[in-house]
Amino acid sequence: MNKVLKTVVIDDSGMQLKVISKLVNNHPNLTLEAVYENGVAAREGLQKKEIDLILLDIEMPVIDGFDFLDTLEHRPQIIIISGKSDYALRAFDYDVTDYLHKPILLQRFNTAIQRALANHLHSVGEGTPQDFIFVNSNLQKRKVVIDQIKWIEALGDYVKIITSNGKILVLTTMKAFLERLPNPKFIRIHKSYAVNVEKIDKFSSTYVEIGDEKIPMSRLRKSELEKALAEI
């Protein structure tokens, strides 16, 4: 991957800014666009910049990292960098790309950047035929190959992704998750179900069959399904 991500570092510690900036400058796929010592300065500076990735500290004066994220109208990828693990669960509610602990190990930093690069290439349509996304599950980033997804089920604040390799529970909404997947391959056939149309074996006006499983379908969605099947 030869893509270079425009990167910003936000940390109230001058020493940490130097350490993280050095990691960014030494990475061939990153370019350091700016550093900020607090969220207020970062918020003002980012209004004039197009950024792909923010390396963000959580505990900062005036506004903390989460408050800063809430102020962003267009949020790039975020890698949280913190000396504590206390914020990990809340961080993944913000769909961050990764969560790094200080002091940062080079190998762990490089792994996080590879995830950010993979996510970016997917978002701009430069993925390979074996395209994939990363999802947040059990405080970890898990790689999901898109072609292996059979269907998705909404479960309150979660979705359950059923793949050829098993099931994955992800804290997100169905709408938000489907926005990350290619159309018209994935369509919603019911308020609680979406399917990969390429995996469908049979369907009627009330359900679709994928393998041995019957998945409920709203009658009003049948025409949408037929149109999607005709386009693949």
Side-chain angles (χ1 to χ4, degrees), residues 11 13 39 67 148 202:
D11 198 308
S13 165
D67 290 337
Q148 293 179 355
K202 303 176 187 176

Side-chain angles (χ1 to χ4, degrees), residues 55-214:
L55 303 176
L56 177 66
D57 186 25
I58 291 297
E59 294 185 311
M60 296 186 296
V62 188
I63 61 173
D64 67 20
F66 294 122
D67 290 337
F68 166 75
L69 290 178
D70 288 333
T71 69
L72 295 181
E73 183 176 352
H74 302 290
R75 190 182 301 167
Q77 290 195 75
I78 306 294
I79 294 177
I80 297 293
I81 298 177
S82 177
K84 299 181 179 180
S85 59
D86 307 39
Y87 308 109
L89 183 59
R90 187 179 177 191
F92 282 104
D93 286 343
Y94 283 80
D95 195 29
V96 301
T97 298
D98 212 333
Y99 191 103
L100 300 181
H101 287 278
K102 300 175 184 177
I104 306 168
L105 299 177
L106 178 59
Q107 183 177 356
R108 185 67 182 84
F109 178 80
N110 289 338
T111 298
I113 300 307
Q114 287 302 111
R115 289 174 176 172
L117 285 163
N119 288 345
H120 182 83
L121 292 176
H122 171 74
S123 69
V124 298
E126 296 180 15
T128 65
Q130 191 79 345
D131 213 350
F132 57 87
I133 59 174
F134 281 96
V135 299
N136 300 323
S137 181
N138 294 327
L139 300 183
Q140 294 180 322
K141 283 284 185 176
R142 292 189 58 179
K143 181 178 178 180
V144 179
V145 177
I146 290 177
D147 285 343
Q148 293 179 355
I149 299 175
K150 296 180 178 181
W151 73 88
I152 305 111
E153 179 181 356
L155 298 170
D157 295 330
Y158 292 81
V159 297
K160 181 165 63 174
I161 308 167
I162 291 82
T163 77
S164 55
N165 291 326
K167 303 174 183 178
I168 304 171
L169 195 64
V170 180
L171 179 62
T172 186
T173 64
M174 177 73 84
K175 181 178 183 294
F177 185 72
L178 289 178
E179 287 175 351
R180 302 182 62 192
L181 300 177
N183 286 319
K185 180 183 287 190
F186 290 88
I187 68 165
R188 200 161 187 168
I189 60 169
H190 184 278
K191 66 179 182 179
S192 299
Y193 293 93
V195 298
N196 182 344
V197 295
E198 294 181 350
K199 302 296 185 182
I200 294 174
D201 296 308
K202 303 176 187 176
F203 71 95
S204 69
S205 59
T206 57
Y207 63 85
V208 302
E209 289 189 35
I210 298 179
D212 296 329
E213 298 291 333
K214 288 186 177 181

Side-chain angles (χ1 to χ4, degrees), residues 6-10 46 51-56 68-69 72 76-80:
K6 296 179 179 179
T7 305
V8 163
V9 180
I10 308 173
L46 291 177
I51 297 299
D52 301 309
L53 175 65
I54 296 177
L55 303 176
L56 177 66
F68 166 75
L69 290 178
L72 295 181
Q77 290 195 75
I78 306 294
I79 294 177
I80 297 293

